[in-house]
Amino acid sequence: MNKPGTHWCHVAVLVTSVTAASCSVFTDKAQSQWRTLTVINVQPRAEVSADVDARCVGPASVAPSDEVVVVKYRVGRAPYLQALPVPSGRVLHEGDTVVVHPGGCRLEDGASAS
């Protein structure tokens, strides 16, 4: 027979563990969120085509004449193009390897991947 109040104790433990697990998945440190990709194009933000996800390079963060990096990866089976700002002080070229956090709009050198 269950003791009174044990049901809520089990519910509290379940909610706490689910919350902790879900938060750990979405941290920037989670390896599953980072992708090693190849730069397919470096171009001014103003020239980014409509088929490229440009949410990371909006007018508030990147000037139209500033260069952005376009990378390609897969979401399920579909190819997905995303534009990201070039980190300050970096010069990137087509074919360079970079490490990208698509949801966080972050890009790092492939050499700094761990």
Side-chain angles (χ1 to χ4, degrees):
M1 183 175 229
N2 288 337
K3 294 181 183 178
T6 58
H7 171 73
W8 291 113
C9 181
H10 292 281
V11 170
V13 169
L14 176 65
V15 168
T16 303
S17 62
V18 168
T19 302
S22 64
C23 289
S24 67
V25 169
F26 295 111
T27 63
D28 282 347
K29 300 294 183 195
Q31 283 300 116
S32 63
Q33 301 297 313
W34 290 90
R35 299 171 184 245
T36 302
L37 304 171
T38 302
V39 174
I40 62 166
N41 200 2
V42 179
Q43 63 189 59
R45 184 185 65 83
E47 296 177 11
V48 173
S49 64
D51 62 333
V52 176
D53 177 358
R55 66 185 158 82
C56 295
V57 293
S61 60
V62 180
S65 60
D66 288 350
E67 288 192 334
V68 297
V69 172
V70 178
V71 294
K72 179 180 176 181
Y73 57 94
R74 294 199 172 275
V75 176
R77 298 179 86 188
Y80 192 78
L81 298 169
Q82 185 172 5
L84 297 156
V86 176
S88 61
R90 279 292 294 142
V91 177
L92 293 169
H93 302 90
E94 184 177 331
D96 287 349
T97 300
V98 292
V99 179
V100 175
H101 188 286
C105 295
R106 293 188 46 205
L107 179 139
E108 295 179 1
D109 291 331
S112 65
S114 52

